[in-house]
Amino acid sequence: MAIAISRRAREFIQRKGGAVTVRLAPRHGCCGGIASLAVADAVAPDDASRYRRIEQDGMRLHIAPELVDEGLIIDLEGWGIFRHLYVDGAPLKG
């Protein structure tokens, strides 16, 4: 399996249309510096050619190539309209 998805996250993604994009997003520190964190969005990417597409559990996963097979987990947190996906799992290499 390319990426683990919790039951809660799977249901959320399916309600949003069945597509999820997992990518690296830059985060800037308050005193300089930058770190890339894995994030998940319950939408298909604008440019799917930059992602590896995987069909899993009836969903279309678009995963950034550098995140494939990294032991990541997608889960859901929050309440009501404030629910959102998050990515957890093994630390990134490099």
Side-chain angles (χ1 to χ4, degrees), residues 1-48:
M1 187 176 297
I3 193 163
I5 304 173
S6 75
R7 179 190 51 77
R8 297 180 315 172
R10 198 169 32 251
E11 291 169 357
F12 180 82
I13 293 164
Q14 289 171 339
R15 280 194 306 273
K16 296 282 187 175
V20 65
T21 300
V22 181
R23 62 187 173 79
L24 290 174
R27 298 293 190 255
H28 302 274
C30 64
C31 300
I34 188 170
S36 292
L37 300 178
V39 297
D41 301 304
V43 296
D46 291 334
D47 182 3

Side-chain angles (χ1 to χ4, degrees), residues 30-79:
C30 64
C31 300
I34 188 170
S36 292
L37 300 178
V39 297
D41 301 304
V43 296
D46 291 334
D47 182 3
S49 69
R50 297 177 39 204
Y51 296 87
R52 182 170 168 198
R53 182 179 169 160
I54 299 168
E55 297 285 332
Q56 181 176 315
D57 298 326
M59 294 175 290
R60 298 172 314 280
L61 280 64
H62 302 271
I63 304 174
E66 59 272 21
L67 296 175
V68 173
D69 297 325
E70 287 294 324
L72 300 177
I73 302 163
I74 299 175
D75 206 347
L76 182 71
E77 66 182 356
W79 181 81

